[in-house]
Amino acid sequence: EVQLVQSGAEVKKPGESLKISCKGSGYSFTSYCIGWVRQMPGKGLEWMGIIYPDDSDTRYSPSFQGQVTISADKSISTAYLQWSSLKASDTAIYYCARLNGPRSNPEDAVFDFWGQGTLVTVPS
Amino acid sequence: SYELTQPPSVSVSPGQSASIACSGDKLGDKYASWFQQRPGQSPVLVIYQDNKRPSGIPERFSGSNSGNTATLTISGTQAMDEADYYCQAWDSSTVVFGGGTKLTVL
């Protein structure tokens, strides 16, 4: 059974750093891309970026480039999303999702399995 | 940047069909996916590559995509289908989500 298990909820202060995780199981972790998606309170889904765990090739949404860092450790089948200096506006639920499709043509790929989400709260 | 537009809300009576539209420039030239998100839960893929259903998704969910509009149709809508629905497509190697549609079954 494919599973993406994310790390638990976090409450941080503005300016603090944070790294949240997404551990894949039930499939070959290096054979599929992992994406990250933000959902601010009461709002819709926003794509942040993707990573190919086999070689850590990473692509970011222009909206999030420079704001976060996506990484992966294939030895433990885990992808990460990190911030160096959190802001109140980073308060949101963050989802990881597996991207299923050909690397040669990612626009044919599909987000087929999602993690349970990690709530990050940064009180102002 | 590329945008996908959905109506904020759609209402349907139990047992009737519900259609949710997603519009974008030449969307029919791309693949559209649809996700269901019930309150407090993670998104679930219900339609991919315009009209394919993942394993475990009921047959009452169907999709189409032509011109500038992709459409998710739920036939024989049930109370359990009440949720937010998001369309998604790729444009220039970028993932784009629609703003979401709240489906109310009343």
Side-chain angles (χ1 to χ4, degrees):
Chain A
E1 178 194 8
V2 173
Q3 284 193 314
L4 295 172
V5 178
Q6 298 186 229
S7 50
E10 302 272 4
V11 180
K12 292 292 207 179
K13 296 182 177 144
E16 290 187 328
S17 62
L18 176 65
K19 191 173 188 177
I20 63 175
S21 65
C22 169
K23 182 173 177 62
S25 63
Y27 72 100
S28 173
F29 187 72
T30 53
S31 297
Y32 296 83
C33 180
I34 292 287
W36 286 95
V37 174
R38 182 176 78 174
Q39 187 168 40
M40 299 178 76
K43 302 298 184 182
L45 306 174
E46 301 174 89
W47 175 65
M48 302 177 73
I50 56 174
I51 186 165
Y52 292 90
D54 58 341
D55 62 4
S56 290
D57 180 24
T58 309
R59 304 172 194 182
Y60 293 92
S61 159
S63 300
F64 291 93
Q65 178 82 48
Q67 307 305 307
V68 296
T69 301
I70 295 171
S71 61
D73 184 342
K74 62 184 179 183
S75 70
I76 54 172
S77 302
T78 301
Y80 301 97
L81 177 65
Q82 70 180 87
W83 296 259
S84 59
S85 180
L86 286 160
K87 303 184 284 289
S89 57
D90 293 318
T91 294
I93 297 174
Y94 294 88
Y95 294 101
C96 63
R98 189 181 80 164
L99 189 61
N100 188 350
R103 182 167 182 172
S104 58
N105 191 11
E107 301 199 7
D108 287 351
V110 179
F111 289 110
D112 62 351
F113 287 94
W114 293 63
Q116 84 276 19
T118 295
L119 174 62
V120 174
T121 304
V122 187
S124 56
Chain B
S1 59
Y2 194 78
E3 293 185 357
L4 293 174
T5 301
Q6 299 179 234
S9 62
V10 169
S11 297
V12 63
S13 299
Q16 300 302 302
S17 290
S19 291
I20 300 173
C22 172
S23 63
D25 186 48
K26 297 180 182 178
L27 180 56
D29 292 343
K30 310 174 191 298
Y31 277 135
S33 294
W34 290 89
F35 299 90
Q36 176 194 68
Q37 187 179 34
R38 296 189 175 108
Q41 297 188 18
S42 301
V44 173
L45 178 68
V46 294
I47 293 290
Y48 68 100
Q49 292 183 354
D50 298 338
N51 54 23
K52 296 182 173 64
R53 275 180 295 105
S55 174
I57 300 301
E59 290 185 9
R60 64 179 182 274
F61 287 87
S62 63
S64 63
N65 186 14
S66 178
N68 294 322
T69 304
T71 303
L72 172 70
T73 301
I74 309 171
S75 305
T77 307
Q78 300 180 8
M80 64 187 300
D81 300 329
E82 186 162 287
D84 293 327
Y85 290 86
Y86 295 90
C87 60
Q88 177 258 312
W90 287 80
D91 178 73
S92 302
S93 300
T94 297
V95 174
V96 182
F97 287 100
T101 298
K102 181 176 181 57
L103 177 67
T104 302
V105 183
L106 41 69

